[in-house]
């Protein structure tokens, strides 16, 4: 009987030890893989902006220095693109403000400095030239803007056209589409 008690004790002791080793091995040694969540979207693929600022200014510096400076009520950034709302600012030539700009909203590439602006008004700094349009595309490397549904007013001249291309560096203007020219004659 005594032998039976020793055998039973050893059996249950070894069984308990084996069960304990199995549990330790299962819970701490074998990594547990969680099932993938169905709605897991990596952070960089979200549609929300990664950075958002309120009432701030951004400046683009090119080879010759400051090219434009824009203030906005709301600026949000995703990757290298910035979206702006309620914009005011300046385009610069040789570090001097050349045109002031206001727009309802816009998008700017931080890599190239190219931009799109909607519902735009541009006023020549220190001059009378005023440009208005539905959409302005700014091409930074060429220092050129393309204005759709454009209106230009300069002293005694008013121009309207479907598309106006203006090269700031050479002060060249080209207007195309349905063009209307009004000239006020001064005596």
């Amino acid at each position: 009987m005594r032998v039976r008690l020793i055998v039973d004790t050893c059996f249950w002791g070894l069984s308990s030890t084996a069960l304990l080793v199995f549990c330790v091995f299962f819970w701490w040694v074998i990594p547990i893989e969680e099932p993938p969540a169905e709605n897991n979207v990596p952070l960089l693929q979200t549609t929300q902006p990664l950075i958002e600022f309120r009432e701030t200014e951004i400046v683009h510096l090119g080879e010759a220095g400051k090219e434009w400076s824009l203030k906005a009520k709301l600026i949000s950034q995703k990757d290298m693109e910035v979206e702006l709302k309620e914009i005011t600012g300046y385009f610069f030539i040789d570090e001097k403000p050349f045109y002031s700009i206001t727009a309802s909203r816009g998008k700017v590439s931080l890599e190239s400095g190219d931009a799109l602006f909607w519902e735009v008004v541009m006023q020549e700094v220190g001059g009378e030239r005023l440009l208005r349009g539905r959409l302005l595309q700014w091409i930074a490397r060429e220092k050129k803007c393309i204005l759709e549904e454009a209106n230009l007013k300069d002293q005694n001249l008013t121009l309207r056209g479907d598309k106006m291309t203006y090269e700031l560096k050479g002060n060249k203007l080209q207007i195309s589409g349905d063009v209307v020219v009004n000239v006020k004659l001064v005596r």
Side-chain angles (χ1 to χ4, degrees), residues 87 101-106 116-122 131-136 147-148:
I87 304 162
I101 182 172
T102 60
S104 64
R105 63 188 177 101
L116 288 173
F117 300 103
W118 286 266
E119 301 170 21
V120 178
V121 177
M122 291 176 58
L131 292 162
R132 293 180 186 266
R134 182 183 61 82
L135 177 69
L136 173 88
L147 190 60
E148 294 180 12

Side-chain angles (χ1 to χ4, degrees), residues 4-142:
R4 172 113 178 122
L5 184 62
I6 292 175
V7 170
D8 283 347
T9 304
C10 288
F11 173 75
W12 288 112
L14 288 174
S15 298
S16 298
T17 305
L19 183 61
L20 181 63
V21 168
F22 175 75
C23 289
V24 167
F25 183 78
F26 181 77
W27 290 109
W28 284 287
V29 176
I30 298 175
I32 299 174
E33 294 182 348
E34 295 181 20
E38 292 179 20
N39 293 330
N40 259 359
V41 178
L43 180 62
L44 293 177
Q45 293 179 1
T46 61
T47 57
Q48 297 297 317
L50 297 178
I51 299 174
E52 186 173 285
F53 300 96
R54 297 191 186 279
E55 297 186 25
T56 191
E57 178 180 20
I58 60 173
V59 176
H60 183 264
L61 301 173
E63 294 174 4
K66 191 185 296 188
E67 291 186 352
W68 49 256
S69 170
L70 301 171
K71 292 181 182 179
K73 293 284 183 185
L74 178 67
I75 297 177
S76 59
Q77 179 182 355
K78 183 176 179 196
D79 299 324
M80 294 304 287
E81 185 174 277
V82 176
E83 290 188 27
L84 307 105
K85 292 188 179 171
E86 298 182 45
I87 304 162
T88 60
Y90 292 95
F91 287 114
F92 293 83
I93 291 190
D94 300 327
E95 293 281 328
K96 295 177 187 166
F98 190 61
Y99 269 93
S100 67
I101 182 172
T102 60
S104 64
R105 63 188 177 101
K107 286 185 180 183
V108 176
S109 168
L110 295 178
E111 288 179 314
S112 65
D114 293 349
L116 288 173
F117 300 103
W118 286 266
E119 301 170 21
V120 178
V121 177
M122 291 176 58
Q123 174 73 49
E124 183 180 25
V125 175
E128 295 183 31
R129 187 172 298 146
L130 179 71
L131 292 162
R132 293 180 186 266
R134 182 183 61 82
L135 177 69
L136 173 88
Q137 179 184 7
W138 169 252
I139 304 169
R141 69 185 174 282
E142 298 175 24

Side-chain angles (χ1 to χ4, degrees), residues 152-169:
L152 171 100
K153 184 177 180 189
D154 191 2
Q155 295 176 349
N156 300 322
L157 175 69
T158 304
L159 294 171
R160 282 189 319 207
D162 295 333
K163 183 177 178 181
M164 185 180 300
T165 304
Y166 185 61
E167 295 179 31
L168 274 72
K169 203 63 160 162

